[in-house]
Structure formats: C-alpha cells, structure tokens
Amino acid sequence: MMLYEKIKTLYPELTDHDFMTVITLQNDSDGKGDYIAFWNHPTYRKPTDAQLAEIN
Amino acid sequence: MAALIPSASATGSGTMTLAGPSTNSNQTITIPDTTGTMMVSGNMPAFSVYRSGGNQSVSNGTATKVQLNTEEFDTANCFDSTTNYRFNPTVAGYYQINGGIGFNATTMNICITFIYKNGSSYKRGDIRATQSGDSVMVVSSLVYFNGSTDYVELYGYLNATVGSPIFVGASDLTYFNGTLIRAA
C-alpha cells in the first residue's frame, strides 16, 4: 500500500482538496520513495512513521 | 559623436571583430540608451526534453518529479536528463518555461502539472474533472534564474479513482522546454 492509501486508511475523512492544499505528498524520483513534504491540516495530526508502518 | 572605447575583459585575450554586412547595402545597429549584456545565440540557453522509454508509474495523490530522460536539444548543457531531471542555467535572466504531462489512468478526476523552482511548487495548471485516457495538462510561466543555483523541475500530481496512475512516455505528451528571453 502506498503512502497516500495508508494516510487515507488512517484518516478516511481526508478529502482530495486536503491533499492539494494542507497536505503535500511528494516523490522526487530519487529512489527514496513517497514522503510527506508538507502537513498543515487543522484537525488531523501528521502520522508518525510507526502509525504508517502498522498499516499494510 | 559618442566615443567607441574597446574594453578587453579582465582575463580574455580574444580579438573583438565588428564584421560588415555581406551585401552592398548599408546596415545600422542602434545601441540602446542603457547598459546591459548583448544577447547572442551562444549565450542564450534553450532546451527541450521529454519522457521516453516507457511510461512512468507514479503513486496516487503524490506530487512526483517527471523523469525527463530524452533531449531534443540542450544548447548549453544546462538540463540534467540522467539524474536530477532539472534545468539549471548558467546565464542569469528571465526564461520562458513550458511543460506538459500526459496523465493516464482508467478513470481520474484531478491532474496537476507543476513547475517546481528550487524544490518547491512555483506555478501550476490543473484539470479537475472526471476523465480517462491520455489527458495532457500544461503549465507555462516566466521564471527568473540567478545563473548559478536556481533550477526548475517538472512535477505531476494525479488522482486516479480507478486504475493505476502513470505519466505517459511520449514526446508530444510529456515534455519540458524553455529559453532565455531576457538577460538579468
């Protein structure tokens, strides 16, 4: 499961608009994969690596 | 009449030549009433690159750098088409930068093409409507470069509701180009 799907699983209420405004997931095509480049959601806290690792 | 004072560069030893026209007609060059750098083809970087060698698979909902791996031209070798996929010109000034990405998934509802400058979103163009097949979203902007550290990259964002998102590998669908239009 990719990072986007993991976050949607953790917070199903997040909208497409959230991912274009207060949350930015990014991949720099450098082999390091997807990461959270920006998180400024007013309600939901940025997930920890441990939280994301628990989601398969 | 104004004086014409040749000034050699601090380190150069080359000869400055003012060549006459190759016809019998008189030609006039009017020097602007200001100081600046004369632009000629040799110091005006231009590039045009595209994605080839197959589609680029990307993650849903994730701004992803496009791996633009084929050069149509790169007059000053300022585009890195093998590692960082970025344009980093060595001449300071104002550049016209254009990019397009061919997005594809079985069904998708958001496609965004970004010009990233120095690692952050700088300008973007987007489509927010349900669609399928190859959809090209373009972005275009004037961008200032300092001639040393400034660079731009092309990023895309795709939200697929059905199917796997890709950037289409084709010269007329996924491309990036630009040229200097005015020196700093």
Side-chain angles (χ1 to χ4, degrees), chain B residues 42-65:
Chain B
N43 65 350
M44 295 184 72
F47 76 100
S48 182
V49 299
Y50 61 93
R51 167 74 188 177
S52 72
N55 302 323
Q56 181 179 342
S57 297
V58 299
S59 298
N60 225 13
T62 303
T64 302
K65 187 194 297 187

Side-chain angles (χ1 to χ4, degrees), chain B residues 132-149:
Chain B
S132 59
D134 295 342
S135 297
V136 180
M137 188 63 236
V138 300
V139 64
S140 180
S141 180
L142 282 177
V143 183
Y144 173 77
F145 292 81
N146 62 12
S148 57
T149 58

Side-chain angles (χ1 to χ4, degrees), chain B residues 22-87:
Chain B
S22 58
T23 70
N24 293 327
S25 301
N26 293 329
Q27 306 294 340
T28 301
I29 295 175
T30 301
I31 304 299
D33 189 18
T34 186
T35 298
T37 301
M38 182 177 292
M39 303 308 298
V40 296
S41 58
N43 65 350
M44 295 184 72
F47 76 100
S48 182
V49 299
Y50 61 93
R51 167 74 188 177
S52 72
N55 302 323
Q56 181 179 342
S57 297
V58 299
S59 298
N60 225 13
T62 303
T64 302
K65 187 194 297 187
V66 184
Q67 295 173 318
L68 297 152
N69 53 10
T70 303
E71 298 183 356
E72 289 173 317
F73 53 83
D74 182 14
T75 64
N77 293 319
C78 294
F79 192 89
D80 174 357
S81 59
T82 58
T83 305
N84 291 312
Y85 311 105
R86 68 177 54 156
F87 179 60

Side-chain angles (χ1 to χ4, degrees), chain A residues 1-19:
Chain A
M1 188 181 293
M2 306 306 292
L3 179 60
Y4 173 82
E5 283 79 24
K6 287 187 175 187
I7 292 173
K8 290 282 281 185
T9 299
L10 189 63
Y11 299 129
E13 299 83 1
L14 289 176
T15 66
D16 292 339
H17 186 256
D18 290 328
F19 283 92

